[in-house]
Every structure is written in C-alpha cells, then in structure tokens.
Amino acid sequence: MAIGVQSNEIHDHFNKLFSAILIEQQKYDHIKAADQEKREILTQKLKEFEQLKGRGFFYPFMASGRGHGPFVELIDGSIKYDLINAIGVNLLGHSHPIYIKANLEAATSDTMMAGNLLSYQEPYELSQTLLNAVKKSKLKHFWFSCSGSFAGDTALKILWQKKAPNYRLIAFQKSFAGRSIAMQDVTYNPAYREGMPQTISVDHVPHFDYKNPEKSLEMTLDALDDLIKKNGNTYCAITIELIQGEAGFIYGTKEYYEGIFKWAKSHGIYVWVDEVQSFARTHELFAFQMFGLDEYVDVVTVGKVLQACGTFYTEELNPKPGLIAGTFNGSIASMNAGKAIVRYLTEGNFYGENGRIKEIEELFKSQFKRLSEGSCKGKIPYYGGVGTMLSFEVGDATTETTNKFMKTLFENGIISFSAGKEPTRVRFLLPLSLLEEHIQEIFSILERTILEVI
Ligand SMILES: Cc1ncc(COP(=O)(O)O)c(C=O)c1O
C-alpha cells in the first residue's frame, strides 16, 4: 500500500476492513436455489432494466455483489457456479483477495480514474509489469484503452500510419475483434454489422481446420497468396486470435502459426495478435508465448483478465505524437488489480506443463471423456480447448439445442455461454479458484442436465 494517503490508523482500518469483507464473501461457497420471497424482486428489476436498455437479457441474472471463488450470488438469493465470469474477466474468481485489496487501495487515492495528460503511478507500474512480462519479444511500448475494441482501433491506427497508404488488413474467418466502427469490419460475422457502411478493407482467410490439420497451413497460405494476387501487396498487417474465442476455441499449432507469420514477414506485413480473450488463460501469460512465437509479434492487444485494456507495440511502430491519446487510462482500482494479477500469475505455479492451468484443463478433459464414453455416449460430439478456455457440443449442436441446454444448465446451477454457430458450442471461461470437489460437482450437474435435455 504505497500509493494514496497513509497513516497507522488507515493501515489498521484497511486490514480490518479487508478481513471483514473477505470473511463475509467467503460465506458464498456452495450452490443454492433461489429464495422464494426474492424471486419476484429479480423478475421485476430485470424487467425494468430491459425496458431501460430496450432489449431482453439471455439469462435471468442480476448479481448481488456477493460471491466467492467460482460462486456468484444473484439478487433472488440463488448461488451458481460462474464458469463464464463476465465473458472471461474474473479469472481469479469472485471476491479474490487481490480484487478486494485493489479496490481498498484505490479508496486511499484522491481520484477515481488515471488519465493520459497528468500521469499517475498506477498506470506507470502496470505498464512496467506488463512490458517486463514480454521481454523475450520486440514489444517495447504499451498504450492503455478503455475496451478491447478500442485497443484494436489503436493497433490499427499505428499500423496504418506506419504503412500508409497500405490500409488493407488481413483477418481470419470466424474471428471476433469487437464492435467499434473499425473492429466490426474485422469481426467476421456480418450479422454484427447489419446496416453499417463498410469503413475499412478487411479480407478474411481460413483459420486452422481441426478436422484437416495436415492441410490447414497450405489452405491458409494459398488464401493469403490469392489475396496478394488480387489486391497487390496493399496490406498493413495480419491480425489473428491464436485461440479464436467467439468461434468456440479454434486454434492451431506452433508450425501453423510460424508458417503464417513467416509468410507475413516475407511480404513486409506486420503481425498483430489479438489476446483480448486469451491473455492469461492458456499455458503461459500470453498465448503467443505458449506457442513460442515471441520473435514474430509486432502488436498485441489485451483486455478482460487484466481488468484494463491496451496495445503493445514495437519501437519501430511507435506512432507520431497526436495519433493516439484520450482522457482515460482506466480506473485506479483496475490498474492496481492488473499489476497484482500479473505478478500473482507469473510468480505462482500457474503456467507451464506442470502449472495449475494445465492441470485444470486435464481434469476437465478427463471428466468430459468419462461422460462422452459412458452415461452420455453419443450426446457430446465434441469437447476441447486449451487452458481455462474450454468448450463442448451437445446433441445436434444447433443453436436451438445449445441455448435450451445452457438455460437448463443455468437453472441447475452452472453459468456458461455459447460460442460458434452450427456447430454451436457451450463455452467455459473457467476461474482458477476451482477445486477438485467443485469439478466433481460441476460434472455431476452437467451429466444430469445432458440426460435431461439431450
Ligand atoms: C478476441 C477479442 N477481441 C476483442 C474483443 C473486444 O473487447 P471489448 O468487448 O472489451 O471491446 C473481444 C471481446 O470479447 C475479444 O474476445
């Protein structure tokens, strides 16, 4: 606690408050059905919120602000396993001591948000921590944004400035890059930009085909060569999610990525890796580190787990003054949390072949194997993924069946979300706070729900 006001009294209160909050939050440590008398409150508040937003919610969910580890409480008093955690944000789990501490520390500061003009120690320390973690690469700078989409916009602007007038961008089929005016064109699904004018020129090539792994690189390289034949070398960069999140966790091999990146380098096309969803969730802090691709990356975007968002880039890509700025870096609490999260993850035993993330992945995969070969034979046509990014298909894997399954699973006490389309997958973005006993219970709920719905 070195930032903000300090005194023995504050220190004392801080420690007492920290313990008192943690003790209270730790009570939310098991699943529980809704309280009969609170059901109406949830229905009413959601109905009102839906009116305000002008649109319905997928799940009848409103958090109470209470929860611990993998558990989250709703305002109807029900407690569920949260296996999607705000689409990948709460990797450490609910009310993790790091989150509580980051918020309390921020309260000793004189402001809420850190900005670009008059700097604070928090964004300085977080930048230092992040750049320290990518020392093996050529990434030398980090610029904060307030969303993953805006980190993507920053990436694109610095690439455009460097490569002007080569403004075309290569992206991948099924990719998701966000919903800003630029990123909606990078995102593959045209339904997400209905009625929008096209603002940037993006060409999408096929990603790794897990059903045809040997031919995948050749197919992608052929598509890349065709682009150059068609448009000339008018490209600034190639952007890729190494683990495609919204597609349902499609990913290739080191050889596949190296083949693509060598092709890009030989054409003077920069490599931009989008790690907004994969950051911190695979077998290394960055997915590009897990695949050993440090030497190739020129730009990397991050968000979600970091509790802040931003863009890494090389010395060579440092833009001219005036191109990128903005009022906010992010909140003081999120900067505090981001720094502590990176330190906790990299100093603890989470990464590598013997790290906890790999262990959780294997525990889940062996349970999926048991169900798909046993009581749920023929009902789980696919399961897979990497690290804490796991997905599976149920029944005919249509959106209709998958949505019905997820809603029943929610009622039975587990929150998941979908990814991909026909086949539509059930997606888990797992928290690290899962214990073996939780995993046993999760799979007995999954088994029951599969047998109920499929
Ligand atoms: C890979 C990827 N890139 C970019 C984004 C956009 O991030 P945000 O929703 O914070 O704008 C997302 C969000 O899901 C994502 O998964």
Side-chain angles (χ1 to χ4, degrees):
M1 231 179 91
I3 300 173
V5 284
Q6 309 285 317
S7 74
N8 287 343
E9 195 187 352
I10 292 172
H11 192 73
D12 223 32
H13 285 308
F14 183 101
N15 285 337
K16 282 192 186 131
L17 204 48
F18 173 78
S19 315
I21 293 170
L22 191 54
I23 287 166
E24 283 306 310
Q25 291 283 22
Q26 279 172 340
K27 292 178 181 163
Y28 300 86
D29 66 350
H30 57 274
I31 57 170
K32 169 181 166 294
D35 298 324
Q36 204 48 43
E37 73 283 4
K38 290 189 190 159
R39 280 180 197 269
E40 192 44 36
I41 301 175
L42 175 68
T43 313
Q44 194 52 36
K45 282 202 178 173
L46 274 182
K47 214 166 117 196
E48 281 167 20
F49 197 8
E50 284 175 356
Q51 288 282 324
L52 298 172
K53 279 183 47 155
R55 125 129 52 120
F57 288 98
F58 185 76
Y59 287 126
F61 179 96
M62 194 177 274
S64 68
R66 296 182 283 267
H68 191 65
F71 300 102
V72 62
E73 191 203 47
L74 279 62
I75 58 171
D76 63 2
S78 65
I79 303 176
K80 298 182 190 295
Y81 276 108
D82 180 3
L83 302 189
I84 196 65
N85 47 88
I87 318 198
V89 175
N90 302 321
L91 176 66
L92 305 192
H94 291 264
S95 70
H96 191 279
I98 282 180
Y99 298 164
I100 299 174
K101 208 162 165 252
N103 274 318
L104 288 175
E105 279 174 356
T108 69
S109 201
D110 60 334
T111 190
M112 308 280 292
M113 304 286 283
N116 278 310
L117 180 65
L118 305 173
S119 70
Y120 270 73
Q121 293 174 87
E122 289 86 350
Y124 153 65
E125 289 182 3
L126 177 53
S127 305
Q128 206 173 38
T129 309
L130 284 168
L131 286 162
N132 228 351
V134 294
K135 266 198 179 138
K136 273 171 70 187
S137 74
K138 292 176 292 167
L139 303 168
K140 288 285 175 294
H141 304 290
F142 183 79
W143 193 270
F144 288 100
S145 303
C146 285
S147 75
S149 303
F150 209 68
D153 285 4
T154 300
L156 190 58
K157 284 176 63 165
I158 63 178
L159 288 159
W160 275 350
Q161 189 175 67
K162 186 75 185 173
K163 291 286 288 185
N166 287 350
Y167 295 134
R168 292 192 85 92
L169 182 68
I170 303 169
F172 283 78
Q173 291 168 10
K174 300 190 182 170
S175 66
F176 185 83
R179 294 173 202 264
S180 67
I181 288 173
M183 290 308 110
Q184 68 184 359
D185 282 328
V186 181
T187 294
Y188 187 60
N189 188 348
Y192 293 167
R193 51 175 175 270
E194 200 187 318
M196 298 289 103
Q198 188 190 340
T199 52
I200 69 169
S201 301
V202 187
D203 297 297
H204 294 90
V205 295
H207 204 290
F208 192 79
D209 183 355
Y210 70 101
K211 289 188 176 148
N212 197 357
E214 290 82 23
K215 286 265 174 225
S216 284
L217 179 60
E218 195 183 317
M219 279 173 352
T220 305
L221 291 180
D222 285 349
L224 289 168
D225 285 333
D226 286 348
L227 289 183
I228 303 284
K229 271 188 218 133
K230 189 168 150 218
N231 300 314
N233 195 349
T234 51
Y235 293 91
C236 60
I238 184 164
T239 175
I240 186 166
E241 290 165 86
L242 300 174
I243 322 286
Q244 283 193 312
E246 305 301 300
F249 306 141
I250 292 173
Y251 62 99
T253 58
K254 179 179 168 73
E255 294 66 38
Y256 174 74
Y257 295 125
E258 265 189 333
I260 295 170
F261 293 170
K262 281 186 176 148
W263 177 92
K265 298 281 164 183
S266 72
H267 289 81
I269 292 170
Y270 286 110
V271 171
W272 159 18
V273 174
D274 179 343
E275 297 238 20
V276 171
Q277 195 163 141
S278 58
F279 170 74
R281 288 197 164 273
T282 67
H283 305 160
E284 294 295 338
L285 188 64
F286 293 83
F288 78 78
Q289 295 172 331
M290 176 179 73
F291 289 110
L293 301 167
D294 303 64
E295 65 183 285
Y296 300 100
V297 294
D298 299 298
V299 175
V300 173
T301 40
V302 289
K304 295 195 189 253
V305 169
L306 188 62
Q307 315 297 309
C309 300
T311 311
F312 292 88
Y313 45 91
T314 61
E315 192 74 67
E316 182 186 335
L317 283 168
N318 200 1
K320 293 180 184 147
L323 188 76
I324 51 175
T327 306
F328 294 138
N329 292 145
S331 75
I332 298 285
S334 66
M335 305 271 135
N336 285 340
K339 186 181 77 174
I341 288 166
V342 174
R343 288 191 55 186
Y344 172 73
L345 292 173
T346 51
E347 289 169 16
N349 181 30
F350 292 102
Y351 296 120
E353 282 306 296
N354 301 315
R356 179 65 182 159
I357 290 187
K358 184 81 195 271
E359 196 173 42
I360 291 179
E361 174 188 327
E362 278 168 2
L363 286 167
F364 267 76
K365 285 185 175 167
S366 71
Q367 291 278 2
F368 274 125
K369 187 170 188 305
R370 182 179 64 77
L371 288 194
S372 64
E373 289 174 0
S375 61
C376 300
K377 204 169 174 120
K379 296 178 196 286
I380 309 176
Y382 167 89
Y383 64 86
V386 57
T388 56
M389 307 173 85
L390 301 179
S391 66
F392 59 103
E393 293 168 16
V394 286
D396 57 9
T398 57
T399 302
E400 194 188 342
T401 304
T402 311
N403 284 353
K404 188 168 165 226
F405 172 78
M406 288 189 303
K407 287 188 177 186
T408 313
L409 190 63
F410 180 88
E411 288 309 315
N412 290 345
I414 296 176
I415 313 176
S416 63
F417 198 51
S418 64
K421 204 166 174 18
E422 322 288 345
T424 309
R425 291 178 176 170
V426 183
R427 174 170 40 157
F428 286 156
L429 286 159
L430 301 173
L432 292 176
S433 47
L434 286 167
L435 304 175
E436 272 67 352
E437 70 212 49
H438 300 141
I439 298 174
Q440 293 291 341
E441 186 175 30
I442 285 165
F443 275 88
S444 77
I445 297 171
L446 274 176
E447 180 178 33
R448 176 157 53 89
T449 311
I450 290 169
L451 296 177
E452 194 181 329
V453 179
I454 309 299

